[in-house]
Amino acid sequence: MEVSDIPDGTATTSLPHTASDLRKRPRTIPHVSGSTSETKDPDPGYLVSEPGKSYEDEGNRNEAVIQSANRVANGNDGGDKTENRLDRGTDFAAVKLAYRPSAPAHRRIKESPLSSDAIFRESHAGLLNLCIVVLVAVNSRLIIENLMKYGLLIRTGFWFSSRSLRDWPLLMCCLTLPIFPLAAFIVEKLVQQKYIHEPVVVLLQVIITAAVVLFPVFVILRCDSAVLSGVTLMLFACIVWLKLVSYVHTNYDLRALTKSIEKGDVQPNSLNTDYPCNVSFKSLAYFMVAPTLCYQITYPRTPYIRKGWVVRQFFKFIIFTGVMGFIIEQYINPIVKNSQHPLKGNLLYAIERVLKLSVPNLYVWLCMFYCFFHLWLNILAELLRFGDREFYKDWWNAKTVEEYWRMWNMPVHKWMIRHIYFPCLRNGIPKGAASLIAFLVSAVFHELCIAVPCHMFKLWAFIGIMFQVPLVLITNYLQNKFRNSMVGNMIFWFIFCILGQPMCVLLYYHDLMNRKGRTE
């Protein structure tokens, strides 16, 4: 196999003239601009198939030579012309070997990038960029069209109005919520000093934690307050309740652990990081403001506060909060006001309203997630130097509904696992029943946060959360049947975001309007 006819002046030394000579002669890939390493060039002689060798065995070596030839053909051989003249000459030899008509073009079995077996192994960054560009273009057109048709619908009293002044009982109730953690701390201090016995402690703590929720419920139901103010108060009350349950439960377990260690039944180990039980007001105060719902005496801490980073995140928080307000006022409110009760009107009209509401509702929900779980909790963690900032996982890739609930709200998930799920398992309750109890607790608090401020108990939120249980079973079955598929992920996005949330918004809005109409 001759490799003559090399252009004059390209090489200054003689080249091997046969394939066997090429196999014996080691060479290096010429230096390429921007490269920091030097690797051995595959032997060009392997382009000639040997007996007993398949194209698949030779594929990697041949492709390396072809890539080297492509660099020469494209003029990207790099380096100084004088110093690399010899290497360029040998690369031209590689070109002659690689692009002969008899050289095999197909050497291995390969899948198309969009085939079902390869689609999730390929990078789709370009398609993602295309989706973002299309999304920006389409939504920009819709925003301009909406402004031309309706004008600016944002009211001056969106953030603060005269009615907000009439919600001062709710504000006072919110300011009195720290009394309950203080009462729980006093009880824990008394039992640590052995002034009261364990049964009395349990009774007092049950009363205190129940009062955390019942007191705001009583205040909201007694006052004709704005729905947003009531929802805010109920969210604060539920957070305090979750924190207090964790505080009381953890201290109770530490006391039991201390007794077991003193008796010799349990040996101290790395899991007992908070042993012995030391009740400290400082640790309680830090816990009540920390971005976590699980109490422990010490937390992983960062060495310092990044003030510039906090300022940037705070500006992002303001911007995305404004975006949420704009979408709610400009899009969601008109759609909801021009709709009918989805269970009482025309079915096709109800479906049209739900689908039209789904897109702006999804944007608001994603902005809410980004504002609260990413920006606000990270700002709070940075100011308190709180180290564990896994407030969420990649829930958008969840293949089942169960995965979504495990990943989207990590503070609540860790609380549920620590104080509901595993205690149920330790008491002999089956896993399925323990999961059902966890969903039941979540459904009750979702209903309280919406029904109490609306002054009505239609159980739509409760039903929506409990409906997740059959969805968990369905998506788990589909995932087991069609492995490595995203069927469960599509079901999650459709049921939860496209259908579920818009339907709940319409149901609660019309029930609220009907209640106000009857009252007036």
Side-chain angles (χ1 to χ4, degrees):
M1 181 175 179
E2 297 292 335
V3 260
S4 57
D5 301 329
I6 304 296
D8 295 336
T10 304
T12 58
T13 59
S14 61
L15 297 175
H17 294 284
T18 65
S20 59
D21 292 335
L22 285 172
R23 293 191 195 95
K24 296 177 183 178
R25 180 171 181 172
R27 294 168 51 249
T28 59
I29 297 176
H31 175 73
V32 180
S33 178
S35 173
T36 57
S37 62
E38 197 174 77
T39 58
K40 293 294 182 183
D41 191 359
D43 199 331
Y46 280 110
L47 286 168
V48 183
S49 291
E50 296 180 359
K53 278 188 174 292
S54 64
Y55 288 142
E56 289 83 354
D57 297 332
E58 301 166 5
N60 292 333
R61 296 175 182 269
N62 293 343
E63 287 185 2
V65 175
I66 292 173
Q67 290 175 4
S68 177
N70 284 335
R71 289 202 309 272
V72 177
N74 295 327
N76 295 328
D77 51 336
D80 183 74
K81 293 183 178 180
T82 304
E83 295 178 358
N84 294 315
R85 187 174 298 168
L86 174 61
D87 290 330
R88 288 202 305 274
T90 55
D91 273 335
F92 276 114
V95 172
K96 284 181 170 292
L97 289 170
Y99 288 100
R100 293 186 67 88
S102 60
H106 307 285
R107 296 181 176 86
R108 64 179 63 179
I109 299 174
K110 293 183 180 180
E111 294 287 344
S112 299
L114 295 180
S115 64
S116 58
D117 293 333
I119 187 170
F120 296 116
R121 298 195 302 266
E122 299 289 337
S123 172
H124 303 291
L127 293 177
L128 178 62
N129 291 335
L130 173 63
C131 291
I132 293 174
V133 170
V134 172
L135 196 66
V136 170
V138 170
N139 285 278
S140 298
R141 185 194 66 80
L142 292 176
I143 291 173
I144 295 173
E145 181 182 1
N146 181 276
L147 292 174
M148 292 174 61
K149 188 174 182 179
Y150 300 107
L152 191 64
L153 299 178
I154 298 179
R155 298 165 297 172
T156 56
F158 175 75
W159 300 107
F160 183 82
S161 64
S162 59
R163 185 174 182 183
S164 302
L165 299 175
R166 298 201 299 269
D167 292 338
W168 64 268
L170 274 65
L171 176 62
M172 296 304 297
C173 179
C174 188
L175 294 178
T176 57
L177 289 179
I179 294 176
F180 300 100
L182 180 61
F185 167 75
I186 294 173
V187 172
E188 292 296 330
K189 201 70 177 177
L190 290 175
V191 70
Q192 185 189 32
Q193 297 174 359
K194 299 182 179 179
Y195 288 126
I196 55 179
H197 298 291
E198 200 67 44
V200 180
V201 175
V202 174
L203 177 61
L204 291 176
Q205 297 292 27
V206 168
I207 294 174
I208 292 171
T209 51
V212 172
V213 176
L214 295 179
F215 178 56
V217 169
F218 174 77
V219 173
I220 293 173
L221 293 179
R222 293 280 296 177
C223 302
D224 186 18
S225 60
V227 174
L228 183 60
S229 301
V231 170
T232 303
L233 176 58
M234 283 306 304
L235 286 174
F236 274 114
C238 290
I239 290 172
V240 174
W241 185 87
L242 293 170
K243 284 177 176 283
L244 275 187
V245 169
S246 180
Y247 178 71
V248 172
H249 197 182
T250 301
N251 282 323
Y252 174 84
D253 187 61
L254 285 174
R255 287 195 300 271
L257 180 64
T258 301
K259 293 178 182 178
S260 300
I261 292 176
E262 290 175 353
K263 292 179 181 179
D265 299 336
V266 178
Q267 295 296 324
N269 53 48
S270 59
L271 296 177
N272 308 325
T273 54
D274 288 337
Y275 167 80
C277 180
N278 295 319
V279 179
S280 168
F281 180 77
K282 181 179 178 181
S283 63
L284 173 62
Y286 182 86
F287 168 61
M288 294 307 297
V289 294
T292 179
L293 299 175
C294 295
Y295 173 74
Q296 55 193 63
I297 295 176
T298 58
Y299 294 94
R301 305 287 296 275
T302 55
Y304 56 87
I305 300 174
R306 298 171 292 176
K307 298 182 178 63
W309 184 88
V310 171
V311 172
R312 290 194 299 271
Q313 303 307 307
F314 187 73
F315 275 113
K316 290 180 184 178
F317 180 81
I318 294 175
I319 291 171
F320 277 91
T321 303
V323 171
M324 280 194 295
F326 175 80
I327 296 175
I328 292 172
E329 285 290 287
Q330 198 72 27
Y331 290 92
I332 293 182
N333 280 350
I335 294 173
V336 172
K337 290 178 180 178
N338 294 327
S339 65
Q340 300 176 358
H341 197 288
L343 300 182
K344 297 178 181 178
N346 182 272
L347 179 60
L348 290 178
Y349 180 80
I351 294 174
E352 187 272 336
R353 289 288 97 180
V354 168
L355 293 177
K356 187 172 184 179
L357 182 62
S358 63
V359 175
N361 180 83
L362 177 61
Y363 290 164
V364 169
W365 185 70
L366 292 177
C367 288
M368 179 278 300
F369 165 80
Y370 185 73
C371 282
F372 182 76
F373 286 96
H374 183 74
L375 296 176
W376 175 249
L377 292 183
N378 272 290
I379 290 172
L380 195 60
E382 187 69 25
L383 294 175
L384 297 173
R385 293 171 47 216
F386 187 84
D388 185 3
R389 304 185 183 183
E390 190 184 47
F391 304 122
Y392 57 91
K393 294 183 179 179
D394 57 334
W395 55 265
W396 45 88
N397 293 326
K399 296 181 180 179
T400 65
V401 174
E402 182 183 9
E403 284 186 9
Y404 163 75
W405 286 108
R406 288 204 313 262
M407 297 191 297
W408 103 275
N409 188 342
M410 292 306 295
V412 172
H413 172 70
K414 291 176 181 177
W415 186 93
M416 286 285 184
I417 291 294
R418 195 183 191 210
H419 301 291
I420 299 291
Y421 186 75
F422 281 125
C424 289
L425 296 183
R426 284 194 293 269
N427 285 278
I429 299 176
K431 290 184 178 181
S435 299
L436 185 63
I437 293 173
F439 273 105
L440 183 64
V441 172
S442 176
V444 169
F445 278 94
H446 276 80
E447 182 66 25
L448 283 176
C449 289
I450 301 177
V452 173
C454 293
H455 295 257
M456 60 183 183
F457 293 90
K458 294 291 186 177
L459 299 181
W460 299 125
F462 181 87
I463 295 172
I465 297 299
M466 294 307 296
F467 185 66
Q468 305 299 307
V469 176
L471 284 179
V472 167
L473 300 177
I474 293 172
T475 53
N476 284 344
Y477 169 78
L478 292 174
Q479 180 61 21
N480 293 331
K481 186 175 180 62
F482 307 102
R483 294 190 178 276
N484 298 324
S485 71
M486 299 296 286
V487 176
N489 184 265
M490 296 177 187
I491 292 175
F492 150 68
W493 281 114
F494 180 78
I495 297 294
F496 195 76
C497 297
I498 305 301
L499 181 62
Q501 290 183 5
M503 180 67 75
C504 282
V505 170
L506 292 177
L507 288 171
Y508 273 107
Y509 173 80
H510 286 287
D511 288 337
L512 180 62
M513 291 297 103
N514 292 336
R515 185 191 70 83
K516 287 185 176 181
R518 289 193 302 268
T519 303
E520 294 174 357

